[in-house]
Amino acid sequence: MAQNTLTRAKTGWYLLGPAFVAAIAYVDPGNVAANASSGAQFGYLLLWVIVTANLMAGLVQYLSAKLGLVTGRSLPEAVGERMNRPARLAYWVQAELVAMATDLAEVVGGAIALRILFGLPLLVGGLVTGVVSLLLLAIRDRRGQRLFEQLITGLLLLIAIGFTASFFVATPPPGAVLGGLVPRFDGTESVLLAAAILGATVMPHAVYLHSGLARDRHGHPDAGPPRRWLLRVTRWDVALAMMVAGGVNAAMLLVAALNMQGRGGTGSIEGAYAAVRDTVSPLIAVFFAIGLLVSGLASASVGAYAGAMIMQGLLYRSVPMLARRLVTLTPAMLILAWGFDPTRALVLSQVVLSFGIPFALFPLVLLTSNRAVMGADTNHRLTTAVGWAVALMISLLNVILVYLTVGG
């Protein structure tokens, strides 16, 4: 009995991984921009948004992985099967716009990091980020998903070190941190940043991707004990990955609140780097820049992977990765060439992502609560209720955002 338990535990650890790939989406450069801007402008005020968004993301990612395991379909495939051609094309267009907004965040963030570390022009840095992301995907194609998962998990740990290193020098006051857990806003800009944090955390492409990751890694197990065991492992996978991602996101905001609030010029990522360099230490600032660079490189590869899965599931065709990469890279390269404020572009890209969330969440909750689709693994009524509440809450925040932005 003890030996059997030990064997299952070892097997469980081996099966972890898909959620850590999806979690890269939650610590991308868009998160850095949104969290750093929030901390610099409002201190600890929006910490509660990060915690809430992370809890939402954990539920959403588990439902996505469960859909893939139970049905043997990715979310785009499951949605596409239930639509006629015009509806599929329309749905794909919005998903493709979300993919472009995702690429914008990853590529611009990587370009900023390369300029900080090596003085490269933003346009050159963007190209380097795009090329490296393709190389990471080539490793997956040639060496398999398991090695890709291990590589991405290692990069996630580097990101965590990069953004939490400053806590070895100074830590935020506990009272202020607890105060940041009280839900409240402070004007239109705080709502805009809350939507950006939400869009950077509950990311549509990660929702689409996780269903395919779980399916590709674990297959389509038969109903019964084997499937229940995999679903249990998946819950641990999601919980651990979201703990890491949530901790990194909270650390970004706390570092900004501690070192950047009240300082001039901290509205940009480069300003945040300068603030960390001047208030903490140059070495910690380098860690910050390395974390930003790794997040851009890793999340760009994961975003491209998700985009290919979305296209294949909705258009029923596989497009060469290079051609697809050129399409989604174009907006980011235009932004860099035009000279638009890169940090502002990052924050606005996360708002775009926030508007794409309902298109991923509503079908996901609908499918996983459908007994004809999920059989015995249909969502519990409470899970379905919470899922609908999450989707509606995010949609309501977007409506409020539009009203305050246009009305203001």
Side-chain angles (χ1 to χ4, degrees):
M1 178 102 179
Q3 181 64 33
N4 185 51
T5 301
L6 180 61
T7 301
R8 287 170 67 88
K10 289 181 178 179
T11 303
W13 280 109
Y14 176 77
L15 293 174
L16 299 180
F20 285 83
V21 175
I24 282 290
Y26 299 99
V27 291
D28 75 342
N31 293 84
V32 181
N35 295 330
S37 296
S38 299
Q41 294 183 48
F42 297 102
Y44 305 94
L45 179 74
L46 297 179
L47 181 61
W48 68 274
V49 177
I50 291 177
V51 174
T52 303
N54 203 65
L55 292 173
M56 291 179 180
L59 172 63
V60 168
Q61 293 305 138
Y62 173 67
L63 292 182
S64 177
K66 184 168 82 165
L67 177 71
L69 286 172
V70 173
T71 67
R73 298 281 187 274
S74 68
L75 178 58
E77 289 172 341
V79 171
E81 288 175 351
R82 290 160 175 78
M83 290 181 170
N84 57 31
R85 191 170 186 275
R88 275 194 297 107
L89 291 176
Y91 191 87
W92 171 75
V93 168
Q94 68 81 26
E96 195 66 33
L97 291 174
V98 166
M100 288 183 178
T102 301
D103 244 5
L104 174 63
E106 330 301 30
V107 173
V108 171
I112 293 173
L114 287 169
R115 182 163 74 175
I116 290 172
L117 290 168
F118 306 110
L120 291 182
L122 286 175
L123 195 59
V124 175
L127 287 172
V128 170
T129 302
V131 170
V132 172
S133 69
L134 278 175
L135 294 177
L136 290 172
L137 286 171
I139 291 175
R140 178 193 174 274
D141 292 339
R142 295 187 179 185
R143 301 294 298 276
Q145 183 170 330
R146 178 59 179 164
L147 180 61
F148 181 72
E149 289 174 2
Q150 292 172 339
L151 178 61
I152 294 298
T153 301
L155 294 177
L156 178 60
L157 294 178
L158 281 178
I159 295 167
I161 293 170
F163 290 123
T164 59
S166 67
F167 289 141
F168 290 101
V169 179
T171 55
V177 173
L178 290 175
L181 297 176
V182 179
R184 62 194 190 281
F185 293 109
D186 184 15
T188 303
E189 184 67 15
S190 68
V191 178
L192 176 65
L193 286 171
I197 291 172
L198 198 61
T201 305
V202 187
M203 295 189 75
H205 79 282
V207 179
Y208 295 123
L209 176 65
H210 202 167
S211 55
L213 286 171
R215 184 268 318 273
D216 293 346
R217 176 70 186 283
H218 303 307
H220 179 205
D222 294 332
R227 184 186 292 173
R228 288 197 298 271
W229 165 243
L230 278 175
L231 289 174
R232 190 177 304 119
V233 171
T234 297
R235 285 194 288 271
W236 277 105
D237 193 25
V238 171
L240 292 172
M242 296 313 301
M243 282 177 60
V244 175
V248 173
N249 277 312
M252 292 178 196
L253 186 143
L254 295 175
V255 167
L258 184 64
N259 301 299
M260 305 172 199
Q261 190 179 14
R263 289 176 55 93
T266 56
S268 68
I269 288 180
E270 288 168 307
Y273 164 81
V276 173
R277 181 193 61 205
D278 296 340
T279 60
V280 184
S281 80
L283 178 61
I284 297 298
V286 170
F287 275 109
F288 177 90
I290 291 173
L292 175 64
L293 175 60
V294 175
S295 73
L297 297 176
S299 54
S301 66
V302 171
Y305 186 5
M309 187 175 292
I310 290 168
M311 180 173 286
Q312 187 168 1
L314 294 171
L315 297 187
Y316 302 154
R317 64 180 62 182
S318 180
V319 176
M321 189 60 72
L322 179 59
R324 174 175 171 77
R325 202 77 185 93
L326 290 175
V327 172
T328 54
L329 271 176
T330 299
M333 302 310 296
L334 289 176
I335 289 288
L336 293 175
W338 182 27
F340 189 81
D341 177 16
T343 301
R344 190 63 177 174
L346 280 174
V347 173
L348 292 177
S349 74
Q350 304 310 295
V351 177
V352 173
L353 292 178
S354 183
F355 282 97
I357 292 170
F359 291 98
L361 291 193
F362 283 111
L364 176 63
V365 177
L366 190 64
L367 288 167
T368 54
S369 60
N370 187 335
R371 185 164 293 277
V373 175
M374 303 294 289
D377 294 299
T378 305
N379 290 343
H380 188 279
R381 289 182 180 179
L382 178 60
T383 303
T384 298
V386 174
W388 285 122
V390 168
L392 290 171
M393 190 184 310
I394 294 171
S395 301
L396 178 61
L397 179 59
N398 290 331
V399 172
I400 295 173
L401 172 65
V402 172
Y403 174 77
L404 291 177
T405 303
V406 176

